[in-house]
Amino acid sequence: KKKQSTGKDNKDFISAVNDALLYAGILSHFSGDLSQPQHNSSNYDGWDSGQGGLHRYFESKVVNELSLSLDKEIFEAAINNRPLAILMKSYPMSKRSAKDMVMALSIYSFKKIARLQDIDKKHSLIKESQKKSDQRPKKTYAKRKPAKEVTKYYHSIIVEQLSMSAAVTEWIWFDAWKKAGKPDLSGYKSYDYHLAPEFIPVDYL
């Protein structure tokens, strides 16, 4: 006979799922960040290559000019292009783990920096940036074309990278669910949306 859950049991269950969704959402922010090639490099804003300001231009200005169908394109690419199979080839693993998956994504994205910089130099860059020096008290950002004029050149790398991070995030979420014993979430219903997590200690160093 199936044990009937009490009100407290249900409340604890809802609270636990609320917390799980909160931390899963936080994780998705960071796994998504790893798909930005510059997040994996000391040259994170292009200053070492005369492309100062590339970071915001690429991930904000260009993306904001893309069609609203971008979400659909990323979803279809994550389903149809088998991004995890591509990732496995670039970073072979004897046993998959969340740590290995994000490391693989970081290395994969790092290898895309040259491609991103090349797109910028060929299609966006008008005037190179200049670093601050003894002769130059202020650094000057690179001058670029309006983002809406060059989105077509960035479109493929954006879809590729975001679909890869979406696939990695999905794998980590599913793996966590399996390790939790595959809990039945069909009865979950809540209108309480947590936005402030407890302190998350750094434990990956």
Side-chain angles (χ1 to χ4, degrees), residues 96 170-183 185:
R96 296 183 190 180
E170 183 271 340
W171 187 93
I172 295 173
W173 282 354
F174 188 62
D175 184 60
W177 176 75
K178 289 190 294 183
K179 288 179 177 177
K182 299 182 180 181
L185 305 179

mmCIF file of all heavy atoms in Angstrom, residues 96 170-183 185:
data_model
loop_
_atom_site.group_PDB
_atom_site.id
_atom_site.type_symbol
_atom_site.label_atom_id
_atom_site.label_comp_id
_atom_site.label_asym_id
_atom_site.label_seq_id
_atom_site.Cartn_x
_atom_site.Cartn_y
_atom_site.Cartn_z
ATOM 1 N N ARG A 96 32.793 10.073 -17.556
ATOM 2 C CA ARG A 96 32.261 11.428 -17.560
ATOM 3 C C ARG A 96 31.873 11.880 -16.151
ATOM 4 O O ARG A 96 31.321 11.119 -15.370
ATOM 5 C CB ARG A 96 31.026 11.510 -18.460
ATOM 6 C CG ARG A 96 31.310 11.225 -19.914
ATOM 7 C CD ARG A 96 30.044 11.400 -20.741
ATOM 8 N NE ARG A 96 30.210 10.926 -22.099
ATOM 9 C CZ ARG A 96 29.263 10.972 -23.027
ATOM 10 N NH1 ARG A 96 28.082 11.470 -22.726
ATOM 11 N NH2 ARG A 96 29.488 10.534 -24.248
ATOM 12 N N GLU A 170 22.469 20.460 -19.881
ATOM 13 C CA GLU A 170 21.461 19.399 -19.824
ATOM 14 C C GLU A 170 22.068 18.112 -19.268
ATOM 15 O O GLU A 170 21.449 17.429 -18.449
ATOM 16 C CB GLU A 170 20.890 19.161 -21.228
ATOM 17 C CG GLU A 170 19.777 18.138 -21.301
ATOM 18 C CD GLU A 170 20.279 16.717 -21.506
ATOM 19 O OE1 GLU A 170 21.425 16.553 -21.969
ATOM 20 O OE2 GLU A 170 19.534 15.777 -21.190
ATOM 21 N N TRP A 171 23.290 17.791 -19.693
ATOM 22 C CA TRP A 171 23.946 16.575 -19.219
ATOM 23 C C TRP A 171 24.172 16.639 -17.713
ATOM 24 O O TRP A 171 23.909 15.668 -16.986
ATOM 25 C CB TRP A 171 25.282 16.363 -19.941
ATOM 26 C CG TRP A 171 25.913 15.047 -19.616
ATOM 27 C CD1 TRP A 171 25.794 13.873 -20.300
ATOM 28 C CD2 TRP A 171 26.736 14.754 -18.466
ATOM 29 N NE1 TRP A 171 26.501 12.873 -19.667
ATOM 30 C CE2 TRP A 171 27.082 13.385 -18.543
ATOM 31 C CE3 TRP A 171 27.214 15.517 -17.406
ATOM 32 C CZ2 TRP A 171 27.877 12.771 -17.580
ATOM 33 C CZ3 TRP A 171 28.008 14.895 -16.437
ATOM 34 C CH2 TRP A 171 28.335 13.538 -16.536
ATOM 35 N N ILE A 172 24.631 17.782 -17.226
ATOM 36 C CA ILE A 172 24.917 17.927 -15.797
ATOM 37 C C ILE A 172 23.628 17.848 -14.979
ATOM 38 O O ILE A 172 23.576 17.200 -13.931
ATOM 39 C CB ILE A 172 25.658 19.257 -15.525
ATOM 40 C CG1 ILE A 172 27.038 19.243 -16.192
ATOM 41 C CG2 ILE A 172 25.806 19.491 -14.024
ATOM 42 C CD1 ILE A 172 27.763 20.566 -16.126
ATOM 43 N N TRP A 173 22.576 18.515 -15.456
ATOM 44 C CA TRP A 173 21.287 18.448 -14.758
ATOM 45 C C TRP A 173 20.780 17.004 -14.681
ATOM 46 O O TRP A 173 20.333 16.547 -13.625
ATOM 47 C CB TRP A 173 20.250 19.306 -15.487
ATOM 48 C CG TRP A 173 20.351 20.770 -15.241
ATOM 49 C CD1 TRP A 173 21.181 21.400 -14.360
ATOM 50 C CD2 TRP A 173 19.588 21.789 -15.885
ATOM 51 N NE1 TRP A 173 20.979 22.765 -14.422
ATOM 52 C CE2 TRP A 173 20.009 23.032 -15.342
ATOM 53 C CE3 TRP A 173 18.601 21.780 -16.856
ATOM 54 C CZ2 TRP A 173 19.457 24.244 -15.754
ATOM 55 C CZ3 TRP A 173 18.051 22.991 -17.272
ATOM 56 C CH2 TRP A 173 18.482 24.200 -16.722
ATOM 57 N N PHE A 174 20.832 16.308 -15.802
ATOM 58 C CA PHE A 174 20.324 14.936 -15.846
ATOM 59 C C PHE A 174 21.162 14.013 -14.971
ATOM 60 O O PHE A 174 20.630 13.142 -14.273
ATOM 61 C CB PHE A 174 20.310 14.435 -17.292
ATOM 62 C CG PHE A 174 19.643 13.105 -17.478
ATOM 63 C CD1 PHE A 174 18.294 12.937 -17.184
ATOM 64 C CD2 PHE A 174 20.353 12.014 -17.954
ATOM 65 C CE1 PHE A 174 17.669 11.711 -17.347
ATOM 66 C CE2 PHE A 174 19.749 10.778 -18.124
ATOM 67 C CZ PHE A 174 18.395 10.626 -17.816
ATOM 68 N N ASP A 175 22.471 14.231 -14.980
ATOM 69 C CA ASP A 175 23.360 13.424 -14.147
ATOM 70 C C ASP A 175 23.058 13.644 -12.663
ATOM 71 O O ASP A 175 23.052 12.690 -11.874
ATOM 72 C CB ASP A 175 24.817 13.781 -14.451
ATOM 73 C CG ASP A 175 25.803 12.910 -13.700
ATOM 74 O OD1 ASP A 175 25.781 11.683 -13.892
ATOM 75 O OD2 ASP A 175 26.609 13.465 -12.912
ATOM 76 N N ALA A 176 22.800 14.890 -12.278
ATOM 77 C CA ALA A 176 22.470 15.200 -10.883
ATOM 78 C C ALA A 176 21.157 14.534 -10.478
ATOM 79 O O ALA A 176 21.022 14.012 -9.361
ATOM 80 C CB ALA A 176 22.377 16.717 -10.690
ATOM 81 N N TRP A 177 20.195 14.543 -11.397
ATOM 82 C CA TRP A 177 18.896 13.894 -11.119
ATOM 83 C C TRP A 177 19.070 12.394 -10.916
ATOM 84 O O TRP A 177 18.495 11.809 -9.995
ATOM 85 C CB TRP A 177 17.935 14.186 -12.281
ATOM 86 C CG TRP A 177 16.607 13.495 -12.168
ATOM 87 C CD1 TRP A 177 15.566 13.828 -11.325
ATOM 88 C CD2 TRP A 177 16.161 12.360 -12.916
ATOM 89 N NE1 TRP A 177 14.506 12.970 -11.505
ATOM 90 C CE2 TRP A 177 14.844 12.058 -12.475
ATOM 91 C CE3 TRP A 177 16.741 11.584 -13.918
ATOM 92 C CZ2 TRP A 177 14.108 11.004 -13.014
ATOM 93 C CZ3 TRP A 177 16.016 10.527 -14.447
ATOM 94 C CH2 TRP A 177 14.709 10.254 -14.001
ATOM 95 N N LYS A 178 19.907 11.769 -11.741
ATOM 96 C CA LYS A 178 20.154 10.330 -11.595
ATOM 97 C C LYS A 178 20.850 10.026 -10.271
ATOM 98 O O LYS A 178 20.487 9.072 -9.574
ATOM 99 C CB LYS A 178 20.994 9.816 -12.772
ATOM 100 C CG LYS A 178 20.249 9.763 -14.092
ATOM 101 C CD LYS A 178 21.047 9.026 -15.156
ATOM 102 C CE LYS A 178 22.313 9.785 -15.529
ATOM 103 N NZ LYS A 178 23.049 9.107 -16.626
ATOM 104 N N LYS A 179 21.839 10.853 -9.917
ATOM 105 C CA LYS A 179 22.576 10.614 -8.674
ATOM 106 C C LYS A 179 21.705 10.863 -7.444
ATOM 107 O O LYS A 179 22.004 10.352 -6.354
ATOM 108 C CB LYS A 179 23.818 11.502 -8.636
ATOM 109 C CG LYS A 179 24.904 11.045 -9.605
ATOM 110 C CD LYS A 179 26.112 11.951 -9.572
ATOM 111 C CE LYS A 179 27.204 11.424 -10.505
ATOM 112 N NZ LYS A 179 28.375 12.333 -10.558
ATOM 113 N N ALA A 180 20.645 11.657 -7.610
ATOM 114 C CA ALA A 180 19.719 11.912 -6.506
ATOM 115 C C ALA A 180 18.701 10.782 -6.359
ATOM 116 O O ALA A 180 17.806 10.849 -5.507
ATOM 117 C CB ALA A 180 19.001 13.238 -6.730
ATOM 118 N N GLY A 181 18.836 9.744 -7.202
ATOM 119 C CA GLY A 181 17.923 8.617 -7.118
ATOM 120 C C GLY A 181 16.724 8.718 -8.034
ATOM 121 O O GLY A 181 15.712 8.048 -7.818
ATOM 122 N N LYS A 182 16.807 9.549 -9.039
ATOM 123 C CA LYS A 182 15.724 9.757 -10.008
ATOM 124 C C LYS A 182 14.394 10.080 -9.319
ATOM 125 O O LYS A 182 13.387 9.367 -9.508
ATOM 126 C CB LYS A 182 15.569 8.531 -10.917
ATOM 127 C CG LYS A 182 16.800 8.206 -11.733
ATOM 128 C CD LYS A 182 16.562 7.018 -12.646
ATOM 129 C CE LYS A 182 17.792 6.686 -13.479
ATOM 130 N NZ LYS A 182 17.565 5.540 -14.394
ATOM 131 N N PRO A 183 14.357 11.120 -8.500
ATOM 132 C CA PRO A 183 13.117 11.447 -7.779
ATOM 133 C C PRO A 183 11.974 11.775 -8.732
ATOM 134 O O PRO A 183 12.179 12.370 -9.791
ATOM 135 C CB PRO A 183 13.503 12.675 -6.946
ATOM 136 C CG PRO A 183 14.672 13.273 -7.665
ATOM 137 C CD PRO A 183 15.420 12.108 -8.238
ATOM 138 N N LEU A 185 9.272 13.945 -9.908
ATOM 139 C CA LEU A 185 8.971 15.373 -9.769
ATOM 140 C C LEU A 185 7.612 15.727 -10.348
ATOM 141 O O LEU A 185 7.267 16.910 -10.439
ATOM 142 C CB LEU A 185 10.053 16.200 -10.473
ATOM 143 C CG LEU A 185 11.497 15.939 -10.030
ATOM 144 C CD1 LEU A 185 12.462 16.800 -10.832
ATOM 145 C CD2 LEU A 185 11.667 16.208 -8.542
#
